[in-house]
Amino acid sequence: MSRARTLLSATVGSILAVTLTAAVPVAAAPVPFAEDPAGYVDPFVGSTHGGNTWPGATRPFGMIAWSPTSTTGDQTSTGAANGYEYNVTRVRGFSLTHVNGAGCNPGAAGDVPIMPYVGNVDTSPTADTRDAKYAATFAHAHESASPGRYRVTLDSGAGVDLAVSTRAGIGDFTFPAGSPANLLFRTSNSLNGSEDAELTIDAATRTVSGSVLTGGFCGRRGNGGGASNPNRRSYYRLYFSAVFDRDFARTGTWKDATLTPGGTTATGGEGYLTGADRAGRGSGGWVGFDTGTDVRMRIGISYVSLAGAAANRDAEVPAAATVESVAAATRAAWNTELGRIRVGGGTPARTTAFYTAVYHALMQPQTLNDLDGRYLGADMQVHALHAGQRAAYGTFSGWDQYRAQIQLLAILRPDVAGDMAQSMMDFAAQNRGIWDRWLHLGAPTHVMTGDPAAPTLATFSAMGVPDVPGALDSLVRQATVQNPDALSDIGCPGQCLGQRPGLDTYLAHRYAPNDTCHCWGGAAETLEDSLADFSLAMWAQRAGRTDLYQQFLPRGDFWRNTFDTALGYQVARRADGSWQSGFTPSTDVGFAQGSSATYTWMVPQDVSGLATLMGGRTAAATRLDGFFHDENGNWAVLGGNALRYDPTNEPGIHAPWLYNGLGQPWKTQATVRRIVDTAYGTGPAGLPGNDDLGTMSAWYVFAAIGLFPQVPGRAELLLGSPVFTRVEIDRGNGVRLTVTATGTDTYVQGVQLDGAALSRSWLPESFVQRGGTVAFALGTTPNQTWATAEADLPRDH
């Protein structure tokens, strides 16, 4: 659809009986909310088209995530990042841990693949480097998934039925009659490899237990420093303890190419390389059963100890448990979480997309502590929860999540957000006081740019999550005192070791010089740090720290120093003050996973200032039109063009909402709706790109309810137009947020906030903090007068 046709349509919304400028919502009988929201979830959404999701069984914020590890014929890799690609229908096991939607193929975790094998184990599975023998194909017609449960029948005849609690799981494995029945434990075969692994089989107690020492997230990244990549290292050990409901008919182990029938112990890792440099290395074991036997296995995991894994198993999945009982309990847990945000009046497809997005957004953060309160810290030492802390949470994709996912978490589960903030503070304390920008579990991985912990905790504070004592001062120190790694180029550009890299130089120049910043792109680092510092200023103001507010607020404007007014774009700048040569708007020089055309809009904290530099709000809005449309006026919101909007990555995901600040909110409504209906959808290709630990899913959730966080560090919400006629959100702290609409058309005709007409395209912080009702009147024609007065525009400071 062309922009002209979208914006100049003359059709009047049939539901309206008042003029456009005075439209108010019309009361109607409330539509029912969708029942059994877990029934709308499709775990296969995002499992192809680069979404990097997986369909296995997991619980909200779960430690265990039991899902297939696919193979394309290389035992050191997988079909897609995080183990599953819908169009790859061959698997070599079902592994116990996963990360949702991360990139850096092969992703993260994928620990201890367990494979039902129909046949005799007569060679080492590790020697099967092409996954030609000890793997199996399947058809999607024989595969199903729902929240907390995953089932598949392999073409070998083996059946797999998995369900999980938070730290444990239960699996039923069936084998065809008359064929050998074996279960392989590929202990060392984590997605990224391993430093060491160990396994013990105890036939007398029907147990298999062990551990893998691993890590390696983004360790293969081409822009991560090559052989010096700092993530080719171990930073956690996962323990597991499995117990079976029947005796073993045989046992065996292997290490590298050596097979030991009857063996009961094995050790040995694979290393962190790939292909021929790693192939043929590793260890594991197997247990066999009488032919035609159905086998039930209960398994627990822990990052602390074998005893912790066994205790987690026996407490969460007791001996009397069944797959059905565990699956039912976890489905109920998902319904509790999904039911915190109730929707009605939408189409079945949009309801499926919506609740699947909430599902993906609430997979993280991940529980790290055992039931006894102990957890693995960033220093690989065991620590205990603080008094009053309910859980230790880890895995923080900061550069991604601070733009949408953490806001949704703070709204739906402020208690979890609070424990996450405490956990991040503790991980920093265990890491020499340094807050890393990307945590896998509690470990620093250094991936991406900026200082996302600052806007994350500032946003939590704005949304009513209690502050963690000392956290503000700790993050201020990170932003003012250069740490010893800040001048290191290890891991650069993709995962530079230093946090707040080149800080002293940055503060002296008031931008990050592209030639000396020790970072992934000087302009990107400047934009990220400007937004982080603005967030710290907002947090300081809220905390009554006027000194810090006055110190950091001007730093929120440092983005202006990499804005080339002659070109009208963000441009990388050198230490001598000169601009990077060879500039075009499509360049990624000076930027991180994005172009100048995208990053130029990354100033949500100062939309009016950006508009002024572009020649005023009208001129800026016209430029923004060109970001979302091609030269012929057609929509261009699906990515693939460095000059246009990219829905697959984070730096520009706020851009559709900038029209509100430019005085043209009807264009936000049209643009967001276009993205919702074309870049997102149902089915395996239903995400536009990497879900990035729920970030892209969280964007969809906000877009679908017609609200979006204005800027990190604050709690105002920008208004779009909801695709549901009724939304209720219970925050878990007694606060309820309600959204109603007179239909599901695209354009806002008028809005009421708590019964009073609202002339602004944004909601104050009090809406999130204390609750309220926002009611939309929607129609088919843009209202080009509502929320356009300068006094009604979102405020920047």
Side-chain angles (χ1 to χ4, degrees), residues 247-269:
D247 293 337
F248 305 149
R250 58 197 162 273
T251 67
T253 59
W254 70 84
K255 180 177 181 181
D256 299 341
T258 301
L259 188 75
T260 306
T264 57
T265 61
T267 62

Side-chain angles (χ1 to χ4, degrees), residues 309-672:
N312 291 340
R313 177 198 68 213
D314 292 340
E316 293 190 358
V317 185
T322 64
V323 169
E324 288 76 15
S325 67
V326 174
T330 292
R331 184 184 182 95
W334 274 114
N335 265 329
T336 295
E337 297 304 327
L338 300 171
R340 296 178 189 277
I341 179 167
R342 298 175 294 281
V343 298
T347 66
R350 283 176 172 165
T351 305
T352 288
F354 179 81
Y355 276 121
T356 303
V358 179
Y359 169 80
H360 281 138
L362 297 184
M363 287 181 173
Q364 49 281 306
Q366 295 175 308
T367 299
L368 295 189
N369 62 286
D370 289 349
L371 284 168
D372 66 4
R374 296 191 300 161
Y375 68 94
L376 182 71
D379 53 2
M380 290 196 69
Q381 301 299 309
V382 175
H383 300 268
L385 298 178
H386 297 275
Q389 185 181 6
R390 292 161 292 260
Y393 290 111
T395 307
F396 170 60
S397 174
W399 182 85
D400 308 298
Q401 290 179 306
Y402 87 85
R403 306 168 202 266
Q405 191 272 343
I406 62 103
Q407 289 88 342
L408 184 62
L409 178 69
I411 288 173
L412 296 181
R413 288 300 302 270
D415 56 335
V416 173
D419 283 341
M420 177 183 172
Q422 179 65 67
S423 300
M424 291 171 65
M425 174 73 170
D426 292 336
F427 297 143
Q430 297 154 11
N431 186 37
R432 300 173 294 146
I434 298 171
W435 300 68
D436 198 86
R437 60 181 78 92
W438 214 115
L439 301 173
H440 181 203
L441 307 179
T445 70
H446 329 306
V447 174
M448 301 310 297
T449 64
D451 190 12
T456 295
L457 268 71
T459 300
F460 285 168
S461 181
M463 291 188 164
V465 176
D467 288 347
V468 175
L472 175 58
D473 287 326
S474 180
L475 282 161
V476 165
R477 178 174 176 80
Q478 176 149 303
T480 54
V481 179
Q482 181 169 285
N483 67 68
D485 297 328
L487 301 182
S488 173
D489 285 321
I490 293 175
C492 285
Q495 48 220 50
C496 297
L497 181 63
Q499 309 298 302
R500 291 279 185 163
L503 177 62
D504 290 348
T505 300
Y506 175 78
L507 294 177
H509 287 78
R510 300 191 172 194
Y511 64 90
N514 201 52
D515 50 338
T516 63
C517 70
H518 311 284
C519 69
W520 188 359
E525 189 71 31
T526 301
L527 286 159
E528 294 284 354
D529 289 348
S530 296
L531 185 48
D533 289 341
F534 171 83
S535 298
L536 289 175
M538 296 298 100
W539 189 5
Q541 184 183 45
R542 198 178 308 278
R545 300 288 297 276
T546 304
D547 56 331
L548 295 179
Y549 170 75
Q550 293 174 344
Q551 177 183 0
F552 278 91
L553 187 63
R555 289 174 53 167
D557 288 335
F558 282 10
W559 64 271
R560 295 171 179 265
N561 299 322
T562 46
F563 187 92
D564 187 341
T565 55
L567 297 173
Y569 283 93
Q570 282 286 326
V571 181
R573 199 169 179 181
R574 301 174 65 84
D576 63 6
S578 63
W579 300 102
Q580 185 77 33
S581 61
F583 174 81
T584 65
S586 62
T587 188
D588 64 357
V589 176
F591 302 96
Q593 291 188 351
S595 65
S596 173
T598 294
Y599 270 93
T600 292
W601 299 104
M602 210 198 97
V603 194
Q605 75 272 29
D606 194 4
V607 178
S608 61
L610 179 63
T612 297
L613 292 178
M614 289 182 170
R617 291 191 180 94
T618 301
T622 299
R623 274 195 59 176
L624 196 56
D625 292 344
F627 188 53
F628 294 112
H629 300 82
D630 65 20
E631 57 276 9
N632 297 315
N634 299 307
W635 286 108
V637 294
L638 298 181
N641 184 333
L643 296 176
R644 310 287 182 226
Y645 177 73
D646 181 5
T648 73
N649 216 345
E650 281 73 15
I653 61 173
H654 67 291
W657 304 85
L658 293 178
Y659 285 116
N660 285 24
L662 299 176
Q664 298 185 16
W666 67 91
K667 292 182 179 178
T668 282
Q669 299 148 26
T671 305
V672 170

Side-chain angles (χ1 to χ4, degrees), residues 114-122 173-175 179-185 199 201-204 206-208 244-254 260-264 284-297:
I114 300 169
M115 181 67 187
Y117 178 62
V118 180
N120 293 315
V121 182
D122 50 18
F173 300 91
T174 59
F175 297 89
S179 299
N182 298 289
L183 209 59
L184 312 181
F185 286 76
L199 173 136
I201 301 171
D202 187 341
R206 300 174 176 170
T207 60
V208 179
F244 291 83
D245 69 340
R246 62 194 63 244
D247 293 337
F248 305 149
R250 58 197 162 273
T251 67
T253 59
W254 70 84
T260 306
T264 57
W286 79 95
V287 292
F289 304 92
D290 294 332
T291 59
T293 299
D294 296 342
V295 178
R296 175 165 293 167
M297 181 183 77

